[in-house]
Amino acid sequence: MNGNWRLSSQLAWRFRRSRGQSGFTSFISASSTVGIALGCCVMILLLSVMNGFERELKDRLLAVLPHGELLAVAPEGISDWRRQLEQLQEDSRVAYVAPVTKMAAMLQSAGKMNAVQVTGIDPGFTRPSRISLMTDPQQWQQFELQPNGILLGRGIMKKLGVEVGQKVQLLMPQQSDSQSFKPPKSVWFDVVGAAGIGGELIDNHLALVHLSKASEILGVTSGAQGLEFGFADPFRAPFLMRELGMAFEQYVYISDWTRTHGHLYQDIKLVRAVVYLVLTLLIAVACFNIVSTLVMAVNEKRREIAMLKTMGAKDNLIIRAFMLQGLFNGLIGTAFGVSAGLLLAWQLSFLAKALERLAGITLLSGDIYFIDFLPSQIHLTDVVVTTCIALGLSTVATLYPAIKAARIEPAKVLGH
């Protein structure tokens, strides 16, 4: 058996390196190899970029944003929230729990106004990792010491022209018992620092105040309107929040990050699926050139095949020889493509920065996106899947020409 495979591989290599092969056949063979290499390279590169965005989404954005929230239906807020918080912290799936009070308001300064999402937080329950990602440590200390302080998103400060140390006015809408609107409640705050993680969607509406102050403004007598959660696996947040919300002692509104910022993750998954589909088709088109190459090779080697069969070569030997000849193209293209893709993905962030400096352009603006660089992360699974797709399609492409070669009848060929 090993001898048959050895003979098949020798025949395949001789057929591939034959000097009698036409220049057009050689060109088609080279184009199939280049096409497979290009498809493998681009697939690994783009999948690595998607992996990088997913990593940054988890390590940067989801390290700051809560993974889920339970907000009380009752205007009094969460009753006995400290006891509830201690009980929930015993759940091994929960990484952290913190009290929170949220409200929508308008922020005014020097005649300019901007809508904000005000979040009341307790500095004692805030994770150090969240602080380091959101704001300067010195500004955070000022926020802790000043009960009337406010941390504003960098986008808001830029829009309103506000600087640290200035005062801003927060306007809260009010509604009377008769369902008619009253003049908005006005509260003044001292700007103690800037906060944010990058991206207009968050930084242009972010405002952090003390939990006690927010609860006082909103009339939450229990001290906390709700609880925010973080999980070891943020992608299980929808399932876990539903379970925790249904088991909670009072009526609450259930929310998780996939409802507020889930479009980012959905976009990544959609692009990943499109990349797989489009580049698999690209590799498949390149493999069709293998079919053309082998069909022309079979026509050129009809006499040699007929002579081999008259010498006792079996059909299986001929089939294996031409399948291996086509697979050589697939193997070479896959090897070069995967190697180039891994090298480019490994140095992608550096290459993107170099391109920005050279061309004077910005690929990802930190003012719009939550990152200002092109991320990349190589997953072994993507490399294996890409390799299997390329080699699998290359193998399928060799079947028809190889079977056609085995069906050559020596008497008809040599008789002429």
Side-chain angles (χ1 to χ4, degrees):
M1 186 69 178
N2 291 335
N4 289 337
W5 277 104
R6 188 179 299 112
L7 180 57
S8 298
S9 62
Q10 290 175 351
L11 286 173
W13 187 251
R14 288 290 182 88
F15 286 159
R16 177 179 172 80
R17 304 300 297 175
S18 174
R19 294 184 179 179
Q21 187 170 271
S22 69
F24 183 70
T25 303
S26 300
F27 171 76
I28 296 297
S29 177
S31 66
S32 66
T33 304
V34 171
I36 293 171
L38 182 62
C40 291
C41 176
V42 176
M43 180 178 283
I44 289 178
L45 184 61
L46 293 183
L47 291 177
S48 298
V49 172
M50 293 301 103
N51 295 335
F53 274 110
E54 188 173 327
R55 179 196 63 200
E56 295 300 322
L57 175 68
K58 182 177 180 181
D59 295 347
R60 187 181 295 261
L61 190 64
L62 295 182
V64 174
L65 297 175
H67 301 161
E69 293 176 335
L70 296 179
L71 299 178
V73 175
E76 297 81 13
I78 300 291
S79 59
D80 197 6
W81 62 266
R82 293 183 183 276
R83 178 182 60 82
Q84 303 268 25
L85 186 144
E86 291 176 358
Q87 290 178 353
L88 290 167
Q89 283 179 332
E90 296 176 358
D91 192 327
S92 59
R93 300 169 300 179
V94 177
Y96 72 89
V97 190
V100 67
T101 295
K102 306 185 75 172
M103 54 187 173
M106 295 295 292
L107 196 68
Q108 179 174 280
S109 176
K112 298 179 180 179
M113 301 185 71
N114 192 82
V116 292
Q117 179 67 40
V118 183
T119 303
I121 59 174
D122 188 332
F125 289 94
T126 305
R127 294 163 293 129
S129 60
R130 184 181 187 184
I131 298 170
S132 62
L133 286 172
M134 290 186 65
T135 187
D136 183 76
Q138 293 182 350
Q139 293 180 348
W140 177 258
Q141 290 178 0
Q142 289 294 322
F143 176 73
E144 288 182 306
L145 296 173
Q146 195 162 348
N148 201 49
I150 185 172
L151 290 170
L152 293 178
R154 296 182 180 92
I156 298 176
M157 296 182 68
K158 186 177 179 180
K159 278 187 175 182
L160 300 182
V162 177
E163 296 181 359
V164 175
Q166 293 183 350
K167 288 183 177 292
V168 292
Q169 186 181 22
L170 193 71
L171 301 176
M172 279 287 301
Q174 296 187 92
Q175 197 172 22
S176 65
D177 296 336
S178 61
Q179 301 301 312
S180 62
F181 285 99
K182 299 191 298 184
K185 181 186 291 187
S186 174
V187 184
W188 288 87
F189 285 94
D190 299 314
V191 179
V192 296
I197 58 173
E200 293 182 351
L201 187 63
I202 298 174
D203 291 359
N204 283 358
H205 304 282
L206 178 65
L208 300 176
V209 300
H210 282 263
L211 177 67
S212 57
K213 190 72 175 180
S215 298
E216 178 188 342
I217 295 172
L218 205 59
V220 178
T221 56
S222 66
Q225 183 190 32
L227 299 173
E228 62 180 22
F229 296 80
F231 302 105
D233 183 3
F235 299 107
R236 294 195 63 206
F239 167 76
L240 294 175
M241 287 307 304
R242 192 180 305 112
E243 180 182 331
L244 293 172
M246 296 300 292
F248 206 70
E249 295 181 0
Q250 68 183 90
Y251 291 117
V252 290
Y253 296 111
I254 304 171
S255 179
D256 62 81
W257 70 271
T258 62
R259 298 186 179 186
T260 55
H261 299 89
H263 63 281
L264 297 173
Y265 183 57
Q266 296 299 327
D267 290 347
I268 292 173
K269 292 201 298 184
L270 176 62
V271 172
R272 181 192 295 275
V274 171
V275 166
Y276 265 119
L277 177 62
V278 172
L279 293 179
T280 297
L281 292 177
L282 174 62
I283 296 173
V285 170
C287 289
F288 276 116
N289 286 335
I290 294 179
V291 178
S292 303
T293 302
L294 291 181
V295 168
M296 289 186 288
V298 168
N299 290 332
E300 292 174 357
K301 304 295 182 184
R302 289 173 63 87
R303 293 179 62 84
E304 288 84 348
I305 296 169
M307 293 176 64
L308 286 171
K309 296 189 77 170
T310 58
M311 296 170 62
K314 303 294 185 183
D315 289 348
N316 288 340
L317 177 66
I318 305 298
I319 291 175
R320 283 197 298 268
F322 279 92
M323 286 185 66
L324 288 174
Q325 182 182 352
L327 272 176
F328 284 150
N329 288 354
L331 284 169
I332 294 171
T334 302
F336 276 102
V338 169
S339 300
L342 290 174
L343 181 62
L344 290 174
W346 177 44
Q347 295 292 333
L348 182 61
S349 298
F350 170 77
L351 293 173
K353 287 293 182 183
L355 177 62
E356 288 181 339
R357 289 193 299 268
L358 185 64
I361 60 175
T362 302
L363 297 177
L364 290 176
S365 173
D367 295 333
I368 300 175
Y369 305 99
F370 62 92
I371 54 175
D372 59 358
F373 63 95
L374 198 59
S376 178
Q377 185 178 33
I378 299 171
H379 284 178
L380 179 60
T381 305
D382 293 332
V383 178
V384 172
V385 170
T386 301
T387 303
C388 290
I389 288 174
L391 294 181
L393 291 175
S394 299
T395 302
V396 172
T398 63
L399 292 176
Y400 169 72
I403 294 173
K404 181 180 179 181
R407 289 179 177 175
I408 290 178
E409 297 180 14
K412 291 184 178 179
V413 175
L414 297 178
H416 299 282

